[in-house]
Amino acid sequence: MVRWAAFSCVLVPVVLVWYGTSLAGATGAALGLAAVTGVCRVLLRRSERGAALAADLAHAAPSARTEHAVAEEHSPQRGRRGRTDSGAHRGGRTSGPSTPGD
């Protein structure tokens, strides 16, 4: 993945210069791409470490679940808006006339 990032950080400025962008603009684009690539790489590594740590904790102590996780397992599945009953305020179709002229 790092090779593709380095390749794009080099290719994009070359293409920009080829199509008439100034050298300063292409250099700025290269630096911006390098910065974004670096930040994404750091965030990806942090995410992978966190996922590995969470997996290790899940395998080490499966009985150490939070109360919220246990409550979610036993709660009934609700609809899109979380309502359990159908009230008149939900706006369903009616059988009566829909316009004053009917």
Side-chain angles (χ1 to χ4, degrees):
M1 182 174 300
V2 175
R3 291 179 187 163
W4 282 109
F7 175 72
S8 67
C9 288
V10 171
L11 180 65
V12 168
V14 169
V15 171
L16 288 173
V17 169
W18 182 268
Y19 281 101
T21 305
S22 68
L23 190 59
T27 303
L31 292 174
L33 282 171
V36 169
T37 301
V39 169
C40 289
R41 187 174 177 193
V42 167
L43 291 174
L44 182 62
R45 284 189 179 188
R46 179 184 288 181
S47 174
E48 288 173 345
R49 286 180 189 154
L53 180 63
D56 288 344
L57 290 176
H59 291 300
S63 63
R65 295 188 322 222
T66 63
E67 292 178 18
H68 182 69
V70 172
E72 280 187 353
E73 288 177 4
H74 297 292
S75 66
Q77 190 69 18
R78 294 184 181 181
R80 187 170 116 188
R81 299 184 190 242
R83 295 185 180 141
T84 57
D85 61 343
S86 61
H89 62 279
R90 294 197 62 185
R93 293 184 181 221
T94 61
S95 61
S98 60
T99 61
D102 286 341

